[in-house]
Amino acid sequence: MAIPAAADMTPNPRAESSYLLKPNLSTNYPVVDRGEGPYLFDTAGRRYFDGSSGAMTANLGHGLKEIADQMATQAATVAFTFRNQFSNVAAEELARKLCQLAPGDLDRAFFVNSGSEASEYAIRMSIHYWKERGKPNKTRILGRLTSYHGMTMGALSISGHAGRRPDYGPLLHDFASVPPAYCYRCPFGLDPDGCATECADAWETAIAAHGADSVAAVIAEPIVGAAGGVLVPPPDYFRRLRKICDRHDILLIADEVITGIGRTGAWFASAHEGIVPDLLLLAKGMSAGYTPMAAVLVRQRIVDAIARGSGSVPFGHTFSANPLSASICASVIDYIERNDVLDNVNARGAELRDGLAALSQRHACMVDVRGRGLLWGFELVRDRASRRPFDAGLNAAGKLVAACLDHGLVVYPAGIAPLNNAIIVAPPLIVSAEQVTELLAKLGSALRDFEAGIAAP
């Protein structure tokens, strides 16, 4: 073995600093040491209320011993099998649980590792399905101008997230083209109480522009998360979209990466909308943050069409249907069922809604409280009467997030420039009434600091 040159043995000058590449190179991030329930603790001993469940992910809070025990049990049994060689008990059981909970005939599950990968697999499954049906020209996936489906190239192509697309412009398809269902700032200039859900009909306009014979699927979040700050659609929106898709022979993909597995007070937000999507995407809360895993639930008729044709589904990934991750996700579902967590979501969600509405009455910069279950958002404005937003250069959402952190509260900045002034509040689904009160008190203190800093006209 060759002896390294002397220069190669020189100590790395960064040895006393972090080797971990952080999102913002100029930011000094707190280092988390442990978590307990809805709280995180850093290495300096400071406690943070995790008021956004990280990125709407740590749905059962932190440090649940029974999930950790299940993780250890599965790891000691079998931690990996390759999907092209074996199935495994844990993945079979998780697929059964999810499909039995899902609406309609969403009777098959395919497992991947992240929400981005779930979006990619839904794209490939949609195109594959139409090839099996003898319609290979149906390759376009339509999305909304305010949406987010992931950071991989296909997922980003169907996302309307202006802040995350520019660096990859020539590599991306321009598939996001439909105006959002954004009642506070209606793209059609209408009053929600008197509109005819033109935002849903806009899908039909986009389909006609591209030609239905070229469109394989449309994708939409039941409630828009990071791109809009919890945009809840009008009551009939998704039922109209379902009819449009059926009329034009187009698949409907519901991105429930944020809203799935209890976040809105039901197992799936699609149930609130009264629809059965053709493909349903899950991630984040499916594992409650205890492992990376995601799923695509597929209607049986899609699987039947493939079975009558090639018999082969789109290719997956090395860790698809990983037994360790599958076992953890199954234990998350068991915990939610056993502890009546959905009942808690609805009870605490009502308290959080009322508390946020009360804060909005006291703070003129805080408007349009919107949400469902334990997924809530609001906007920050310079002027309430005119709905004039803060100038994008002020980074109002970022400043309120920083003010919250000063008070030991974590919330999530959202929205797309120039209206990037939204905040998401989404505590773990196991939050107590007393903890909701604590969260609201911390948010109120942060709002006061925010107003004192930049909110004065």
Side-chain angles (χ1 to χ4, degrees):
M1 181 177 176
I3 299 174
D8 294 334
M9 304 296 290
T10 303
N12 190 319
R14 295 191 57 79
E16 295 182 2
S17 60
S18 176
Y19 287 90
L20 182 63
L21 189 62
K22 310 296 199 311
N24 189 322
L25 299 181
S26 63
T27 297
N28 184 22
Y29 294 88
V31 178
V32 169
D33 180 54
R34 65 185 179 90
E36 181 180 335
Y39 302 104
L40 292 168
F41 300 82
D42 69 16
T43 51
R46 190 170 184 205
R47 187 180 79 165
Y48 304 87
F49 193 118
D50 192 0
S52 61
S53 304
M56 293 70 73
T57 302
N59 281 7
L60 299 183
H62 306 277
L64 270 180
K65 184 177 184 301
E66 58 196 90
I67 293 180
D69 289 345
Q70 178 60 34
M71 190 183 305
T73 298
Q74 184 64 48
T77 304
V78 60
F80 178 81
T81 60
F82 185 49
R83 73 196 183 288
N84 282 6
Q85 299 166 337
F86 299 99
S87 184
N88 65 79
V89 171
E92 294 280 357
E93 177 63 9
L94 177 60
R96 182 190 67 80
K97 287 178 181 291
L98 289 172
C99 292
Q100 289 183 351
L101 290 170
D105 62 337
L106 286 161
D107 289 339
R108 297 295 182 97
F110 190 92
F111 296 115
V112 290
N113 307 309
S114 69
S116 296
E117 286 183 21
S119 294
E120 296 282 349
Y121 194 82
I123 292 170
R124 289 187 284 125
M125 176 61 87
S126 298
I127 294 170
H128 185 75
Y129 168 72
W130 290 117
K131 285 182 179 178
E132 299 278 2
R133 289 279 309 275
K135 298 182 179 182
N137 292 327
K138 290 172 80 70
T139 58
R140 186 177 291 274
I141 314 293
L142 297 185
R144 293 188 287 192
L145 289 170
T146 301
S147 65
Y148 181 58
H149 305 290
M151 275 303 294
T152 50
M153 293 303 165
L156 201 54
S157 287
I158 57 177
S159 299
H161 198 307
R164 301 183 183 182
R165 287 181 61 103
D167 290 344
Y168 314 100
L171 300 175
L172 303 178
H173 295 287
D174 192 20
F175 284 166
S177 58
V178 179
Y182 188 1
C183 293
Y184 183 70
R185 300 187 187 278
C186 176
F188 303 95
L190 301 171
D191 186 324
D193 294 330
C195 80
T197 322
E198 281 83 353
C199 50
D201 295 340
W203 286 100
E204 193 141 33
T205 302
I207 291 167
H210 295 290
D213 59 349
S214 74
V215 179
V218 305
I219 185 168
E221 302 155 274
I223 298 175
V224 177
V230 190
L231 301 183
V232 181
D236 199 40
Y237 180 90
F238 273 92
R239 285 187 289 273
R240 293 174 76 131
L241 177 54
R242 176 73 272 180
K243 291 177 182 177
I244 289 168
C245 290
D246 291 342
R247 186 159 57 246
H248 294 288
D249 215 13
I250 290 169
L251 300 180
L252 172 56
I253 305 167
D255 181 347
E256 296 221 32
V257 166
I258 288 176
T259 57
I261 313 298
R263 174 55 67 182
T264 64
W267 283 105
F268 304 94
S270 297
H272 292 293
E273 305 301 337
I275 62 154
V276 179
D278 298 301
L279 299 103
L280 190 152
L281 315 185
L282 297 169
K284 293 184 181 283
M286 186 177 82
S287 73
Y290 283 85
T291 187
M293 197 171 200
V296 180
L297 304 187
V298 185
R299 292 187 79 165
Q300 187 62 42
R301 67 182 179 90
I302 294 175
V303 178
D304 290 343
I306 296 172
R308 290 191 297 268
S310 69
S312 297
V313 301
F315 208 69
H317 303 265
T318 299
F319 284 91
S320 294
N322 175 264
L324 179 56
S325 290
S327 178
I328 294 166
C329 293
S331 70
V332 167
I333 292 173
D334 289 343
Y335 184 94
I336 292 172
E337 292 182 318
R338 192 167 54 250
N339 293 279
D340 298 321
V341 170
L342 298 188
D343 290 342
N344 189 67
V345 172
N346 287 302
R348 304 291 81 76
E351 294 165 358
L352 183 57
R353 174 200 63 207
D354 293 346
L356 291 171
L359 284 176
S360 180
Q361 292 300 310
R362 295 198 294 271
H363 298 278
C365 65
M366 177 186 178
V367 299
D368 196 36
V369 173
R370 59 217 185 197
R372 185 178 287 146
L374 281 172
L375 178 62
W376 291 88
F378 58 86
E379 288 198 28
L380 299 168
V381 294
R382 174 69 77 180
D383 180 73
R384 182 187 287 257
S386 66
R387 304 189 181 186
R388 179 165 63 96
F390 287 99
D391 180 76
L394 286 174
N395 187 22
K399 284 184 167 53
L400 180 56
V401 168
C404 286
L405 203 62
D406 287 342
H407 289 277
L409 172 65
V410 180
V411 294
Y412 192 94
I416 296 174
L419 303 176
N420 57 340
N421 295 325
I423 296 291
I424 296 177
V425 180
L429 309 187
I430 47 80
V431 68
S432 68
E434 294 76 16
Q435 289 164 343
V436 168
T437 300
E438 178 188 352
L439 184 160
L440 291 166
K442 290 179 179 293
L443 179 58
S445 297
L447 282 163
R448 287 193 296 272
D449 291 352
F450 172 80
E451 289 176 324
I454 69 168

